[in-house]
Amino acid sequence: MTVGASGATQGYSQWPETLGFAALGDAALMRHFGDVARREYRATGIHMALSPQADLFTEPRWPRGTGTFGANADLARTMVQAYVAGFQGGDRALARDGVATVVKHWVGYGANPQGFDGHNYYGRLAVHDNATLKTHITPFLGAFAAGVAGVMPTYDIISGPTVAGKPLEPVAAGYNAQLLGLLRKDYAYKGLVLSDWGITRDCTPACRAPSQPQTPNEIAMPWGWKTSPRRSAMPRRCTPGSTSSAA
């Protein structure tokens, strides 16, 4: 279990992880799961799911890979679309008796060097180029086609790609006007943008000390910067802008 990134539950029907569904490659079964889970969620008063995880599992050391649909972008797109349709109860929009889904994490999560996770200070940087970023966007297209209700930005600072010919600002996606603009303008997404719970939490000395045991309260994803991370700037709390924080 990765502190701040994993959890366990009981009392609901048991199914494979999404990586297992990807191995089966059966979109109809994926949608059936979503439909069953939707009814269970609604029966217990849950109206929103912080899923599916549309990230690509391109780094095999990454601890959150089992929550993805693997490394095949086209397969992930198909499975994400089926998942969202099953949970939301409709092919193109949230139905009255559906569960709103929040697809995550926009975009490029899981490509962190050495498999480090973006929840952690030492894993806050992910490396892409324009081609790989486009590949990591592909699974989200399935969510958009199914009328996904929400999108959660990634925690990472994405370095390497350009948007409209300009390098990405070295801040995490929840603060990144370019990545959020790409979502809103280029992909015409009109739904909810929901930031991670820890986006406004300062990264304390305990947060910046990977050698120390960390509790969920010591996990933070502010990753806004006064200067470039190449100049060893310390993280600070920033204004999230167009995202809404659940902190």
Side-chain angles (χ1 to χ4, degrees):
M1 178 176 289
T2 300
V3 174
S6 303
T9 189
Q10 58 184 0
Y12 295 89
S13 58
Q14 300 298 300
W15 298 79
E17 293 266 19
T18 46
L19 189 60
F21 278 114
L24 293 171
D26 187 335
L29 180 60
M30 182 79 267
R31 176 156 184 170
H32 175 62
F33 158 75
D35 181 62
V36 172
R38 172 184 61 81
R39 287 180 276 138
E40 290 184 342
Y41 276 38
R42 290 297 299 253
T44 52
I46 301 172
H47 289 227
M48 176 179 281
L50 297 182
S51 58
Q53 195 176 329
D55 312 302
L56 290 180
F57 194 12
T58 56
E59 168 48 69
R61 295 169 292 184
W62 185 46
R64 297 197 71 181
T66 57
T68 74
F69 293 102
N72 184 311
D74 292 327
L75 174 63
R77 175 179 179 171
T78 298
M79 300 299 276
V80 165
Q81 185 168 350
Y83 185 110
V84 171
F87 261 86
Q88 296 198 158
D91 289 332
R92 297 186 182 277
L94 176 64
R96 182 179 179 87
D97 60 349
V99 171
T101 57
V102 180
V103 68
K104 56 189 187 182
H105 303 82
W106 179 265
V107 62
Y109 192 34
N112 306 53
Q114 299 179 296
F116 292 146
D117 191 82
H119 284 81
N120 303 105
Y121 179 77
Y122 55 83
R124 67 197 182 281
L125 302 175
V127 181
H128 282 278
D129 55 33
N130 287 344
T132 62
L133 186 66
K134 184 177 181 180
T135 299
H136 278 249
I137 288 172
T138 297
F140 288 86
L141 303 183
F144 300 155
V148 68
V151 175
M152 180 181 287
T154 186
Y155 322 113
D156 300 331
I157 298 170
I158 307 296
S159 65
T162 59
V163 172
K166 297 181 179 180
L168 287 175
E169 183 184 7
V171 294
Y175 297 108
N176 195 303
Q178 292 162 291
L179 287 177
L180 296 177
L182 191 68
L183 175 67
R184 292 295 198 196
K185 298 175 184 177
D186 293 54
Y187 293 96
Y189 178 70
K190 305 299 184 184
L192 174 72
V193 175
L194 178 69
S195 78
D196 192 87
W197 271 229
I199 194 170
T200 59
R201 185 183 299 156
D202 289 328
C203 189
T204 65
C207 163
R208 299 193 296 271
S211 62
Q212 300 297 319
Q214 291 184 326
T215 69
N217 288 335
E218 292 166 343
I219 298 293
M221 287 76 65
W223 311 158
W225 295 82
K226 294 180 179 178
T227 58
S228 166
R230 296 184 182 89
R231 296 175 61 184
S232 301
M234 298 301 289
R236 61 178 175 87
R237 181 179 294 174
C238 300
T239 302
S242 61
T243 63
S244 65
S245 175

